[in-house]
Amino acid sequence: MLFDMIQNYDNEKKQFLVSLREKILHQLEKEYDSKKILSFLGKCWIIWIEEKDQLIHIGVPNEFVTTQVKKFFWKGINDAIQEIYHPHFKHKIHIYTPFQTGNHPLQINLSKTLHIETLPTKKIDSETKITLTDHFGILFDPKFQFNNFIVGGNNTFAFSGAKAIAEKPGQIYNPFFIYGHVGLGKTHLMQAIGNYSIENHPKKVVAYLPTSKLIDEVIESIKKNKMTSFLKKFDDVDILILDDIQFLAEKDKTQEIFHNLFNDFVSKKKQIIMSADCSPRDLGNIEARLKTRFASGLVADIGNPDFETRLAILQSKCKEKGESIERPLLEIIAKHIKDNVRELEGVLNVLITKKKLTGQDIGDEDITNALKTMGIRFESSQNNHAILEQSNQRSANNFGKVVEAVASFYNISINDLKGENRKKEVSLARQMLMMIAKKDFNRTLEKIWDYFGWKNHATVIYAINTFEKQCKKDETLRRDLNLITSQTQ
Ligand code: ADP
Ligand code: MG
């Protein structure tokens, strides 16, 4: 009787259950052997979530699988559920025979399940496959697809490039270099290329490697004198995705090794895809010959999404999570968080969790609190729009004060601050002002570069990055920054 309910699920609900299952399997991949997961959990599905008793009901095909799942995965599944869905939920197993026939209502979206089901078979025996998985470790997350990436003016070019490369890896643009500030979708796009390849080019091996991991592996191989076997692992790889390449800065040995790998890949028409937080030219402390090579294929930047794109992203994320939140509320979030999609999503997650826990609809108050957790000031009121206008106005007036404060602190003129003067003191003051503008005034990069009269937004990104890095190292600078911001609040 319990399972008759499944027949009445709407598509959204089914999709939610399917995607929750995907996430749980993905989480288990971190702890368990992928083959074992595939053998025992490949035919298990979430069939019902019972909020009252805090249980996730899992349907399995027969008694044998029940025993195996209980034996091997009992704790793992509970841990995954608690990590992903809710900290108090557990699971319960039922034998659900429609799974045997392979014809049941939750068997949609199968192609999007664990990528291990579709990993390429080309000359990859299971041992090599495990080696690849082990060594290039981080798997492709099925949640990053092209079809859930919202395209707007800020990312059209990067998106089109990524799609073209995913369709014809190694053949058109090599390398492909995506850059942009943190939280704007670089990893999403690169993982989407990976997921697309797994499905559409099953014979190609695609590997995703955060640059920090590459560096660790190089250090480890040097230590253990295993460089040859480390490099050999790349022989099988057809598409190499390296995330956050800016971390190569000052890592001379890894740079040298990557330089060779890079040349080898490009000469064999094997695709290289990289991301960084700034353009190849602006990468600091990376060999010039590497930067030139990075820029030798297609270079695409991702900027800040405009309001419509931010709203569309929020709506799409709501849908993915099986939630509906009224548009005016989403608009408030989209108005306040302008330069980081991860934060946009973070606020949404806080709200959805709250809704799940309390069972109540989300109101302005919740939005205020959620924004507060992200350090964004917003006063809730009957008339949000009026408040929004006012607070923007206040910000605009205050910004003038900050400009004056920074200029007088460094004893330079406002004209110098805005101009092209490259003196060290002036550059530092300028960077500080840009950072305050971005962080405290919610100014988009566009507004900042307009203010400084600059055409190239990479300059602004670079300036802010440089300042942030400097701040991490320099306590006096942090104190100066605090002093200026506290004076002008
Ligand atoms: P980055 O690698 O640039 O720091 P990520 O790719 O990790 O950023 O993106 C952060 C989050 O924002 C991810 O959850 C991603 O799915 C989401 N995101 C970013 N841009 C978009 C977009 N255009 N459409 C949908 N989701 C997006
Ligand atoms: Mg990233």
Side-chain angles (χ1 to χ4, degrees), residues 40 43-45 59-66 94-97 99-100:
F40 295 121
K43 293 201 175 78
C44 302
W45 298 79
V60 303
N62 52 44
E63 196 65 57
F64 172 71
V65 176
T66 308
H94 306 266
I95 294 176
Y96 180 52
T97 47
F99 290 140
Q100 286 166 339

